[in-house]
Amino acid sequence: MTSSPSSGTSQAWSALGADASLLDRVAYGGPSGGLPARLPVMELARATVAVCSLAAAELGSARTGRPVPRVSVDDESVATAFLSDRLVRVDGRAWSAFAPLSRFWRAADGWVRTHANYPHHRARLLTALGLPGDAGEEAVDAVAEVIAGRTALEVEATVYAAGGLAVAARGPEEWAGGEQGVLIAAQPLLSTARIGDAPGRVPGDAPLPCSGLRVLDLTRVLAGPVATRTLALLGADVLRIDAPQLPESQEAHNDTGMGKRSTTVDLADASARRVFEELLDQADVVVTGYRPGALDRFGLTPEALAGRRPGLVIAQLSAWGSVGPWHERRGFDSLVQAATGIADLEGSPDSPGALPAQALDHGTGYLLAAGVLRALTEQHRTGGTRLVRLALARTAHWLLHDLAPAPGEDDGFDAGRWLTERDSPMGRLRHALPPVSYEGGPANWARPPGLWGTDAPVWGGT
């Protein structure tokens, strides 16, 4: 292990508004060849896990009054965790994270990346392209033919107008010179703000940094669930809430549901909404991962939440940021990679490529957890309602422009050293161990994931 701080860790810790002197508590080691790429993906991974671990150690120290414990970041553990969605198994069975219509397509003048993992996104994509929304296996050939006859930007505009997901693959210079790229580059890696006065509500001494804290998890897919999975590891009572009409993949939940409970609540239904309001009245943290504005009609703007529940920590995650012409667009890691030029840089003359993991999702997830942990530390010290905001596109900018590869040992990577098995309601579950590590910290989640959406909408349930 070495205690020399990586530049990425220093940048992220500074963005969190934290005490730079604590960086000497972090040590790094382990084989670093698990995330090979042209871009400094391993540096992004180690930096985001490092600041998350250090923020957890700092919050624990604030609550106990003891010195901040030392943090260890093992590159092999980090890389394994960034691949967790690909390594999870139930009774030995793997799953594919991407559906057949979620891929790159050759357009008349370039490439288009689509995302159609969910049935409603698949149907919107097909309808936008003039195809039957319930088309079967023949849809792949039909989509390829339609896209091949149109420009990439035409496909992007048509599909997004129909509520689907498609982006034209751009080079990094093209994205950086466009309006959304310019605005994203001007934003901080993450923003933290005190948006209201309130007494400190984080209690004192506790066995884990987040013990006794309640987290409403209104996130989906990967980045947000990675963040709340980490808060669950650190002792929080995390309740994930989804709309019943937007089913989630159980296979994805097998990876990101560690330590949590999961329920469904229809916020448009009056009786269900009352249940949600009761949960909100007792929450300490609310994490949202929907596109900006999507939850506003339910009174879930930061301002409304701050007025209703002073002292709350509110964390918001989006794909494209909260400013600019793209800010209300839906998006996923793969689409952000394509739009920002990452896929271009990682590809070949024949086709765009991809990062070795959904690193924007995972990295932003650990940054999001770190932002919540730092907000809780500051709230413990001085009170206040706190707001944390992040965007996948801003993390992409960090990877493209600010990070540099850090030295490491590239030989001998073995993900198997950081995998474990346990019984779960779905069967025998193999999963990656958490990479967040500090002296005296938890080595694994207290509970495996359950069946998605089947828990009672109550705090402290079993």
Coordinates of all heavy atoms in Angstrom, one line a residue, residues 87-178:
L87 N -20.8 -9.6 -12.9 CA -20.2 -10.7 -12.2 C -21.3 -11.4 -11.3 O -21.1 -12.5 -10.8 CB -19.1 -10.3 -11.3 CG -17.8 -9.8 -12.1 CD1 -16.8 -9.2 -11.1 CD2 -17.2 -10.9 -12.9
V88 N -22.4 -10.7 -11.1 CA -23.4 -11.3 -10.2 C -24.0 -12.6 -10.8 O -24.2 -12.7 -12.0 CB -24.5 -10.3 -9.9 CG1 -25.3 -9.9 -11.1 CG2 -25.4 -10.7 -8.8
R89 N -24.3 -13.6 -10.0 CA -24.8 -14.8 -10.4 C -25.9 -15.3 -9.4 O -25.7 -15.1 -8.2 CB -23.8 -15.9 -10.5 CG -22.6 -15.7 -11.4 CD -23.1 -15.8 -12.9 NE -21.9 -15.7 -13.8 CZ -21.5 -14.6 -14.3 NH1 -22.0 -13.4 -13.9 NH2 -20.5 -14.5 -15.1
V90 N -26.9 -16.0 -9.8 CA -27.9 -16.7 -9.0 C -27.9 -18.1 -9.4 O -28.3 -18.4 -10.5 CB -29.3 -16.0 -9.1 CG1 -30.3 -16.8 -8.3 CG2 -29.3 -14.6 -8.6
D91 N -27.5 -19.0 -8.5 CA -27.5 -20.4 -8.7 C -26.6 -20.7 -10.0 O -26.9 -21.5 -10.8 CB -28.8 -21.0 -8.9 CG -29.6 -21.0 -7.6 OD1 -29.0 -21.1 -6.5 OD2 -30.9 -21.0 -7.7
G92 N -25.6 -19.9 -10.1 CA -24.6 -20.0 -11.2 C -25.1 -19.4 -12.5 O -24.3 -19.4 -13.5
R93 N -26.2 -18.8 -12.6 CA -26.8 -18.2 -13.8 C -26.4 -16.7 -13.9 O -26.5 -15.9 -13.0 CB -28.3 -18.3 -13.9 CG -28.8 -19.7 -13.9 CD -30.3 -19.7 -14.2 NE -31.0 -18.9 -13.2 CZ -31.5 -19.3 -12.0 NH1 -31.3 -20.6 -11.7 NH2 -32.2 -18.5 -11.3
A94 N -25.8 -16.4 -15.1 CA -25.5 -15.0 -15.4 C -26.7 -14.3 -16.1 O -27.7 -15.0 -16.4 CB -24.3 -14.9 -16.3
W95 N -26.6 -13.1 -16.4 CA -27.6 -12.3 -17.1 C -27.0 -11.3 -18.0 O -25.8 -10.9 -17.8 CB -28.6 -11.7 -16.2 CG -28.1 -10.5 -15.4 CD1 -27.2 -10.6 -14.4 CD2 -28.4 -9.1 -15.6 NE1 -26.9 -9.3 -13.9 CE2 -27.7 -8.4 -14.6 CE3 -29.3 -8.4 -16.4 CZ2 -27.8 -7.0 -14.5 CZ3 -29.4 -7.1 -16.3 CH2 -28.6 -6.4 -15.3
S96 N -27.7 -10.9 -19.0 CA -27.2 -9.9 -19.9 C -27.8 -8.5 -19.6 O -29.0 -8.4 -19.5 CB -27.6 -10.2 -21.4 OG -27.2 -9.2 -22.3
A97 N -26.9 -7.6 -19.4 CA -27.4 -6.2 -18.9 C -28.1 -5.5 -20.1 O -28.8 -4.5 -19.8 CB -26.3 -5.4 -18.4
F98 N -27.9 -5.9 -21.3 CA -28.4 -5.1 -22.5 C -29.3 -6.0 -23.3 O -28.9 -7.1 -23.7 CB -27.2 -4.6 -23.3 CG -26.5 -3.5 -22.6 CD1 -25.3 -3.7 -22.0 CD2 -27.0 -2.2 -22.5 CE1 -24.6 -2.7 -21.3 CE2 -26.3 -1.2 -21.8 CZ -25.1 -1.4 -21.2
A99 N -30.4 -5.4 -23.7 CA -31.4 -6.1 -24.6 C -30.9 -6.0 -26.0 O -30.0 -5.2 -26.4 CB -32.7 -5.4 -24.4
P100 N -31.5 -6.8 -27.0 CA -31.0 -6.8 -28.3 C -31.1 -5.4 -29.0 O -30.3 -5.1 -29.9 CB -31.9 -7.8 -29.0 CG -32.3 -8.7 -27.9 CD -32.4 -7.9 -26.7
L101 N -32.0 -4.6 -28.7 CA -32.1 -3.3 -29.3 C -31.4 -2.2 -28.6 O -31.4 -1.0 -28.9 CB -33.6 -2.9 -29.4 CG -34.5 -3.8 -30.2 CD1 -35.9 -3.1 -30.4 CD2 -33.9 -4.1 -31.6
S102 N -30.6 -2.6 -27.6 CA -29.7 -1.6 -26.9 C -28.3 -1.8 -27.4 O -27.6 -2.7 -27.0 CB -29.7 -1.8 -25.4 OG -31.0 -1.6 -24.9
R103 N -27.9 -1.0 -28.4 CA -26.6 -1.2 -29.1 C -26.3 0.0 -30.0 O -27.1 0.9 -30.1 CB -26.7 -2.5 -30.0 CG -27.9 -2.6 -30.8 CD -27.9 -3.7 -31.8 NE -27.1 -3.4 -33.0 CZ -27.1 -4.1 -34.1 NH1 -27.8 -5.2 -34.2 NH2 -26.3 -3.7 -35.1
F104 N -25.2 -0.1 -30.7 CA -24.8 0.8 -31.7 C -25.4 0.4 -33.1 O -25.4 -0.8 -33.4 CB -23.3 0.9 -31.9 CG -22.7 1.8 -30.9 CD1 -22.0 1.3 -29.8 CD2 -22.8 3.2 -30.9 CE1 -21.4 2.1 -28.9 CE2 -22.2 4.0 -30.0 CZ -21.5 3.5 -28.9
W105 N -25.9 1.3 -33.9 CA -26.4 1.1 -35.2 C -25.7 2.0 -36.2 O -25.5 3.2 -35.9 CB -27.9 1.4 -35.3 CG -28.7 0.7 -34.2 CD1 -28.9 1.2 -32.9 CD2 -29.4 -0.6 -34.3 NE1 -29.7 0.3 -32.2 CE2 -30.0 -0.8 -33.0 CE3 -29.6 -1.5 -35.3 CZ2 -30.8 -1.9 -32.8 CZ3 -30.3 -2.6 -35.1 CH2 -30.9 -2.8 -33.8
R106 N -25.4 1.5 -37.4 CA -24.8 2.4 -38.4 C -25.9 3.2 -39.1 O -26.9 2.7 -39.6 CB -24.1 1.5 -39.4 CG -23.3 2.4 -40.4 CD -22.6 1.6 -41.5 NE -21.5 0.9 -40.9 CZ -20.2 1.4 -40.7 NH1 -20.0 2.7 -41.0 NH2 -19.3 0.7 -40.2
A107 N -25.7 4.5 -39.0 CA -26.7 5.4 -39.7 C -26.1 5.8 -41.0 O -25.0 5.4 -41.4 CB -26.9 6.7 -38.8
A108 N -26.8 6.7 -41.7 CA -26.3 7.1 -43.1 C -25.0 7.9 -43.0 O -24.2 7.8 -44.0 CB -27.4 7.9 -43.8
D109 N -24.8 8.5 -41.9 CA -23.6 9.4 -41.8 C -22.7 9.1 -40.5 O -21.9 9.9 -40.2 CB -24.0 10.8 -41.9 CG -24.8 11.2 -40.7 OD1 -25.4 10.3 -40.0 OD2 -25.0 12.5 -40.5
G110 N -23.0 8.0 -39.9 CA -22.2 7.8 -38.6 C -22.9 6.7 -37.8 O -23.3 5.7 -38.4
W111 N -22.9 6.9 -36.5 CA -23.4 5.8 -35.6 C -24.5 6.4 -34.6 O -24.4 7.5 -34.3 CB -22.3 5.2 -34.8 CG -21.3 4.4 -35.7 CD1 -20.2 4.9 -36.3 CD2 -21.4 3.0 -36.0 NE1 -19.6 3.9 -37.0 CE2 -20.3 2.7 -36.8 CE3 -22.3 2.0 -35.7 CZ2 -20.1 1.4 -37.3 CZ3 -22.1 0.7 -36.1 CH2 -21.0 0.4 -37.0
V112 N -25.4 5.5 -34.2 CA -26.4 5.9 -33.2 C -26.3 4.8 -32.1 O -26.2 3.6 -32.4 CB -27.8 5.9 -33.9 CG1 -28.9 6.1 -32.8 CG2 -27.9 7.0 -34.9
R113 N -26.5 5.3 -30.9 CA -26.6 4.3 -29.7 C -28.0 4.4 -29.2 O -28.5 5.5 -28.9 CB -25.5 4.7 -28.7 CG -25.5 3.7 -27.5 CD -25.1 2.4 -27.9 NE -24.6 1.5 -26.8 CZ -25.4 0.7 -26.1 NH1 -26.7 0.7 -26.3 NH2 -24.8 -0.1 -25.2
T114 N -28.6 3.3 -29.1 CA -30.0 3.2 -28.5 C -29.9 2.5 -27.2 O -29.0 1.8 -26.8 CB -30.9 2.5 -29.5 OG1 -30.4 1.2 -29.7 CG2 -31.1 3.2 -30.8
H115 N -31.0 2.8 -26.4 CA -31.2 2.1 -25.1 C -32.6 1.6 -25.1 O -33.5 2.4 -25.1 CB -30.8 3.0 -23.9 CG -30.7 2.2 -22.6 ND1 -31.8 1.7 -22.0 CD2 -29.6 1.9 -21.9 CE1 -31.4 1.1 -20.9 NE2 -30.1 1.2 -20.8
A116 N -32.9 0.3 -25.0 CA -34.2 -0.2 -25.0 C -34.4 -1.4 -24.1 O -35.0 -2.4 -24.4 CB -34.6 -0.6 -26.5
N117 N -33.7 -1.3 -22.9 CA -33.8 -2.5 -22.0 C -35.2 -2.6 -21.4 O -35.6 -3.7 -21.1 CB -32.8 -2.3 -20.8 CG -31.4 -2.5 -21.3 OD1 -31.1 -2.8 -22.5 ND2 -30.4 -2.4 -20.4
Y118 N -35.9 -1.5 -21.1 CA -37.2 -1.6 -20.6 C -38.2 -1.7 -21.7 O -38.1 -1.1 -22.7 CB -37.5 -0.3 -19.7 CG -36.6 -0.3 -18.4 CD1 -35.6 0.7 -18.3 CD2 -36.9 -1.2 -17.4 CE1 -34.9 0.7 -17.2 CE2 -36.1 -1.1 -16.2 CZ -35.1 -0.2 -16.1 OH -34.4 -0.1 -15.0
P119 N -39.3 -2.4 -21.4 CA -40.4 -2.6 -22.5 C -40.9 -1.3 -23.0 O -41.1 -1.2 -24.2 CB -41.4 -3.4 -21.8 CG -40.7 -4.2 -20.7 CD -39.6 -3.2 -20.2
H120 N -41.1 -0.3 -22.2 CA -41.7 1.0 -22.7 C -40.7 1.7 -23.5 O -41.1 2.4 -24.5 CB -42.2 1.8 -21.5 CG -41.2 2.2 -20.5 ND1 -40.6 1.2 -19.6 CD2 -40.7 3.4 -20.1 CE1 -39.8 1.8 -18.8 NE2 -39.8 3.1 -19.1
H121 N -39.4 1.6 -23.2 CA -38.4 2.3 -24.0 C -38.3 1.6 -25.4 O -38.1 2.2 -26.4 CB -37.1 2.3 -23.3 CG -37.0 3.2 -22.2 ND1 -36.1 3.1 -21.1 CD2 -37.8 4.3 -21.8 CE1 -36.3 4.1 -20.2 NE2 -37.4 4.8 -20.7
R122 N -38.4 0.2 -25.4 CA -38.3 -0.5 -26.6 C -39.5 -0.2 -27.5 O -39.3 0.1 -28.7 CB -38.4 -2.0 -26.3 CG -38.3 -2.9 -27.5 CD -38.4 -4.4 -27.0 NE -38.0 -5.3 -28.1 CZ -38.9 -5.7 -29.1 NH1 -40.2 -5.3 -29.0 NH2 -38.5 -6.6 -30.0
A123 N -40.7 -0.1 -26.9 CA -41.9 0.2 -27.7 C -41.8 1.6 -28.3 O -42.2 1.8 -29.5 CB -43.1 0.1 -26.9
R124 N -41.3 2.6 -27.5 CA -41.2 4.0 -28.0 C -40.2 4.1 -29.2 O -40.3 4.8 -30.1 CB -40.8 4.9 -26.9 CG -41.9 5.1 -25.9 CD -41.4 5.8 -24.6 NE -42.4 5.9 -23.6 CZ -42.1 6.3 -22.4 NH1 -40.9 6.7 -22.0 NH2 -43.1 6.4 -21.4
L125 N -39.1 3.3 -29.0 CA -38.0 3.3 -30.1 C -38.6 2.8 -31.4 O -38.5 3.4 -32.4 CB -36.8 2.5 -29.6 CG -35.8 2.2 -30.7 CD1 -35.1 3.4 -31.1 CD2 -34.8 1.1 -30.2
L126 N -39.3 1.7 -31.3 CA -39.9 1.1 -32.5 C -40.9 2.0 -33.1 O -40.9 2.2 -34.3 CB -40.5 -0.3 -32.2 CG -39.5 -1.4 -31.8 CD1 -40.2 -2.6 -31.3 CD2 -38.6 -1.7 -33.0
T127 N -41.8 2.5 -32.3 CA -42.8 3.4 -32.8 C -42.2 4.6 -33.5 O -42.7 5.1 -34.6 CB -43.8 3.8 -31.7 OG1 -44.4 2.7 -31.1 CG2 -44.9 4.8 -32.2
A128 N -41.2 5.2 -32.9 CA -40.6 6.4 -33.4 C -40.0 6.1 -34.8 O -39.9 7.0 -35.7 CB -39.5 6.9 -32.5
L129 N -39.5 4.9 -35.0 CA -38.9 4.5 -36.3 C -40.0 4.0 -37.3 O -39.6 3.5 -38.4 CB -37.8 3.4 -36.1 CG -36.7 3.9 -35.2 CD1 -35.7 2.8 -35.0 CD2 -35.9 5.1 -35.8
G130 N -41.2 4.1 -36.9 CA -42.3 3.6 -37.8 C -42.5 2.2 -37.9 O -43.1 1.6 -38.8
L131 N -42.1 1.5 -36.8 CA -42.2 0.0 -36.7 C -43.2 -0.4 -35.6 O -43.5 0.4 -34.7 CB -40.9 -0.6 -36.4 CG -39.7 -0.3 -37.4 CD1 -38.4 -0.8 -36.8 CD2 -40.0 -1.0 -38.7
P132 N -43.8 -1.6 -35.7 CA -44.8 -2.0 -34.7 C -44.1 -2.0 -33.3 O -43.0 -2.6 -33.2 CB -45.2 -3.4 -35.2 CG -44.9 -3.4 -36.6 CD -43.7 -2.6 -36.8
G133 N -44.8 -1.5 -32.3 CA -44.2 -1.4 -31.0 C -44.0 -2.8 -30.3 O -43.2 -2.9 -29.4
D134 N -44.7 -3.8 -30.9 CA -44.7 -5.1 -30.3 C -43.9 -6.1 -31.2 O -44.1 -7.3 -31.2 CB -46.1 -5.7 -30.0 CG -47.0 -5.7 -31.3 OD1 -46.5 -5.2 -32.3 OD2 -48.1 -6.2 -31.2
A135 N -43.1 -5.5 -32.1 CA -42.4 -6.4 -33.1 C -41.5 -7.4 -32.3 O -41.0 -7.1 -31.2 CB -41.5 -5.5 -34.0
G136 N -41.3 -8.6 -32.9 CA -40.6 -9.6 -32.3 C -39.1 -9.6 -32.7 O -38.5 -8.6 -32.8
E137 N -38.6 -10.9 -32.9 CA -37.2 -11.0 -33.1 C -36.7 -10.3 -34.4 O -35.6 -9.9 -34.6 CB -36.8 -12.5 -33.2 CG -36.9 -13.2 -31.9 CD -36.5 -14.7 -32.0 OE1 -36.1 -15.1 -33.1 OE2 -36.6 -15.4 -31.0
E138 N -37.7 -10.1 -35.3 CA -37.3 -9.5 -36.6 C -37.1 -8.0 -36.4 O -36.6 -7.3 -37.4 CB -38.5 -9.7 -37.6 CG -39.7 -8.8 -37.3 CD -40.7 -9.4 -36.3 OE1 -40.3 -10.4 -35.7 OE2 -41.8 -8.9 -36.1
A139 N -37.3 -7.4 -35.2 CA -37.1 -6.0 -35.0 C -35.7 -5.6 -35.2 O -35.5 -4.4 -35.7 CB -37.6 -5.6 -33.6
V140 N -34.7 -6.4 -34.9 CA -33.3 -6.0 -35.0 C -33.0 -5.7 -36.5 O -32.4 -4.6 -36.8 CB -32.4 -7.1 -34.5 CG1 -30.9 -6.8 -34.8 CG2 -32.6 -7.3 -33.0
D141 N -33.4 -6.5 -37.4 CA -33.1 -6.2 -38.8 C -33.9 -5.0 -39.3 O -33.4 -4.2 -40.1 CB -33.5 -7.5 -39.6 CG -32.5 -8.6 -39.4 OD1 -31.4 -8.4 -38.9 OD2 -32.9 -9.8 -39.6
A142 N -35.1 -4.9 -38.8 CA -36.0 -3.8 -39.3 C -35.4 -2.4 -38.7 O -35.4 -1.5 -39.5 CB -37.4 -4.0 -38.8
V143 N -35.0 -2.4 -37.5 CA -34.4 -1.2 -36.9 C -33.1 -0.8 -37.7 O -32.9 0.3 -38.0 CB -34.1 -1.4 -35.4 CG1 -33.2 -0.2 -34.9 CG2 -35.4 -1.4 -34.7
A144 N -32.3 -1.8 -38.0 CA -31.0 -1.6 -38.7 C -31.3 -1.0 -40.0 O -30.6 0.0 -40.5 CB -30.3 -2.9 -38.8
E145 N -32.3 -1.4 -40.7 CA -32.6 -0.9 -42.1 C -33.1 0.5 -42.0 O -32.7 1.4 -42.8 CB -33.7 -1.8 -42.7 CG -34.1 -1.4 -44.1 CD -35.1 -2.3 -44.8 OE1 -35.4 -3.3 -44.2 OE2 -35.5 -2.0 -45.9
V146 N -34.0 0.8 -41.0 CA -34.5 2.2 -40.9 C -33.4 3.2 -40.6 O -33.3 4.2 -41.2 CB -35.7 2.2 -39.9 CG1 -36.1 3.7 -39.6 CG2 -36.9 1.4 -40.3
I147 N -32.6 2.8 -39.6 CA -31.6 3.8 -39.1 C -30.5 4.0 -40.2 O -30.0 5.1 -40.4 CB -30.9 3.2 -37.8 CG1 -31.9 3.3 -36.7 CG2 -29.7 4.1 -37.5 CD1 -31.4 2.8 -35.3
A148 N -30.2 2.9 -41.0 CA -29.2 3.0 -42.0 C -29.7 4.1 -43.1 O -28.8 4.6 -43.8 CB -29.0 1.7 -42.7
G149 N -30.9 4.3 -43.2 CA -31.4 5.3 -44.2 C -31.6 6.7 -43.7 O -32.1 7.6 -44.4
R150 N -31.2 7.0 -42.5 CA -31.4 8.3 -41.9 C -30.0 8.8 -41.3 O -29.2 8.0 -41.0 CB -32.4 8.3 -40.8 CG -33.8 7.8 -41.2 CD -34.8 7.9 -40.1 NE -36.1 7.3 -40.5 CZ -37.2 7.3 -39.7 NH1 -37.1 7.9 -38.5 NH2 -38.3 6.8 -40.1
T151 N -29.9 10.1 -41.1 CA -28.7 10.6 -40.4 C -28.8 10.3 -38.9 O -29.9 10.1 -38.4 CB -28.6 12.1 -40.6 OG1 -29.6 12.8 -39.9 CG2 -28.6 12.5 -42.1
A152 N -27.7 10.3 -38.3 CA -27.6 10.0 -36.9 C -28.4 11.0 -36.0 O -29.2 10.7 -35.1 CB -26.2 9.9 -36.4
L153 N -28.3 12.3 -36.4 CA -29.0 13.4 -35.7 C -30.5 13.3 -35.9 O -31.3 13.6 -35.0 CB -28.4 14.7 -36.0 CG -27.0 15.1 -35.5 CD1 -26.6 16.4 -36.1 CD2 -27.0 15.1 -34.0
E154 N -30.9 12.9 -37.1 CA -32.3 12.7 -37.3 C -32.9 11.6 -36.5 O -34.0 11.8 -35.9 CB -32.5 12.4 -38.8 CG -34.0 12.2 -39.2 CD -34.2 11.8 -40.6 OE1 -33.1 11.6 -41.3 OE2 -35.3 11.6 -41.0
V155 N -32.2 10.5 -36.4 CA -32.6 9.4 -35.5 C -32.7 9.9 -34.1 O -33.7 9.6 -33.4 CB -31.7 8.2 -35.6 CG1 -32.1 7.1 -34.6 CG2 -31.8 7.6 -37.1
E156 N -31.7 10.6 -33.6 CA -31.7 11.1 -32.2 C -32.9 11.9 -31.9 O -33.6 11.7 -30.9 CB -30.4 11.9 -32.0 CG -30.3 12.5 -30.6 CD -29.0 13.4 -30.5 OE1 -27.9 12.8 -30.3 OE2 -29.1 14.6 -30.7
A157 N -33.2 12.9 -32.8 CA -34.3 13.8 -32.6 C -35.6 13.1 -32.7 O -36.5 13.3 -31.8 CB -34.2 14.9 -33.6
T158 N -35.8 12.2 -33.6 CA -37.0 11.5 -33.8 C -37.4 10.6 -32.6 O -38.5 10.6 -32.1 CB -37.0 10.7 -35.1 OG1 -36.8 11.5 -36.2 CG2 -38.3 9.9 -35.3
V159 N -36.4 9.9 -32.1 CA -36.6 8.9 -31.0 C -36.8 9.7 -29.7 O -37.7 9.3 -28.9 CB -35.4 7.9 -30.9 CG1 -35.6 7.1 -29.7 CG2 -35.3 7.1 -32.2
Y160 N -36.0 10.7 -29.5 CA -36.3 11.5 -28.2 C -37.6 12.2 -28.2 O -38.3 12.3 -27.2 CB -35.1 12.5 -28.0 CG -34.1 11.9 -27.1 CD1 -32.8 11.6 -27.5 CD2 -34.3 11.7 -25.7 CE1 -31.8 11.1 -26.7 CE2 -33.4 11.2 -24.9 CZ -32.1 10.9 -25.4 OH -31.2 10.4 -24.5
A161 N -38.1 12.6 -29.4 CA -39.4 13.3 -29.4 C -40.5 12.3 -29.1 O -41.5 12.7 -28.6 CB -39.6 13.9 -30.8
A162 N -40.3 11.0 -29.3 CA -41.3 10.0 -29.0 C -41.1 9.4 -27.6 O -41.8 8.5 -27.2 CB -41.2 8.9 -30.0
G163 N -40.2 10.0 -26.8 CA -40.0 9.5 -25.5 C -39.0 8.3 -25.4 O -38.9 7.7 -24.3
G164 N -38.4 8.0 -26.5 CA -37.4 6.9 -26.5 C -36.0 7.4 -26.2 O -35.8 8.6 -25.9
L165 N -35.0 6.5 -26.4 CA -33.6 6.8 -26.0 C -32.7 6.5 -27.2 O -32.6 5.3 -27.5 CB -33.2 6.1 -24.8 CG -33.9 6.6 -23.5 CD1 -34.7 5.4 -22.9 CD2 -33.0 7.2 -22.5
A166 N -32.1 7.5 -27.8 CA -31.1 7.3 -28.8 C -30.3 8.5 -28.9 O -30.8 9.7 -28.8 CB -31.8 7.0 -30.2
V167 N -29.0 8.4 -29.1 CA -28.1 9.5 -29.3 C -27.2 9.2 -30.5 O -26.8 8.1 -30.7 CB -27.2 9.9 -28.0 CG1 -28.1 10.2 -26.9 CG2 -26.3 8.7 -27.7
A168 N -26.8 10.3 -31.2 CA -25.8 10.2 -32.2 C -24.5 10.1 -31.6 O -24.2 10.9 -30.6 CB -25.9 11.4 -33.1
A169 N -23.6 9.2 -32.0 CA -22.3 9.1 -31.5 C -21.5 10.3 -32.0 O -21.4 10.6 -33.2 CB -21.7 7.8 -31.9
R170 N -20.9 11.0 -31.0 CA -20.1 12.2 -31.4 C -18.6 12.0 -31.0 O -18.3 11.2 -30.1 CB -20.6 13.4 -30.6 CG -22.0 13.9 -31.0 CD -22.6 14.7 -30.0 NE -23.9 15.4 -30.4 CZ -25.1 14.9 -30.4 NH1 -25.2 13.6 -30.0 NH2 -26.1 15.5 -30.8
G171 N -17.7 12.8 -31.6 CA -16.4 12.8 -31.1 C -16.3 13.7 -29.9 O -17.2 14.6 -29.7
P172 N -15.2 13.7 -29.1 CA -15.1 14.5 -28.0 C -15.1 16.0 -28.3 O -15.7 16.8 -27.6 CB -13.8 14.1 -27.3 CG -13.1 13.3 -28.4 CD -14.1 12.7 -29.2
E173 N -14.5 16.4 -29.4 CA -14.5 17.8 -29.8 C -15.9 18.3 -30.2 O -16.2 19.4 -29.9 CB -13.5 18.0 -31.0 CG -12.0 17.7 -30.6 CD -11.7 16.3 -30.7 OE1 -12.6 15.5 -31.2 OE2 -10.6 15.9 -30.3
E174 N -16.6 17.5 -30.9 CA -18.0 17.8 -31.3 C -18.8 18.0 -30.1 O -19.6 19.0 -30.0 CB -18.6 16.8 -32.2 CG -19.9 17.1 -32.7 CD -20.5 16.0 -33.6 OE1 -19.9 15.0 -33.8 OE2 -21.7 16.2 -34.1
W175 N -18.8 17.1 -29.1 CA -19.6 17.3 -27.9 C -19.1 18.5 -27.1 O -19.9 19.3 -26.7 CB -19.4 16.1 -27.0 CG -20.1 16.2 -25.6 CD1 -19.4 16.5 -24.5 CD2 -21.5 16.2 -25.3 NE1 -20.3 16.6 -23.4 CE2 -21.6 16.5 -23.9 CE3 -22.6 16.0 -26.1 CZ2 -22.8 16.5 -23.3 CZ3 -23.9 16.1 -25.4 CH2 -23.9 16.3 -24.1
A176 N -17.8 18.7 -27.0 CA -17.3 19.8 -26.2 C -17.7 21.2 -26.8 O -17.8 22.2 -26.1 CB -15.8 19.7 -26.0
G177 N -17.8 21.2 -28.1 CA -18.2 22.5 -28.8 C -19.6 22.7 -28.8 O -20.1 23.8 -29.2
G178 N -20.5 21.7 -28.5 CA -21.9 21.9 -28.5 C -22.4 22.6 -27.3 O -21.7 22.7 -26.2

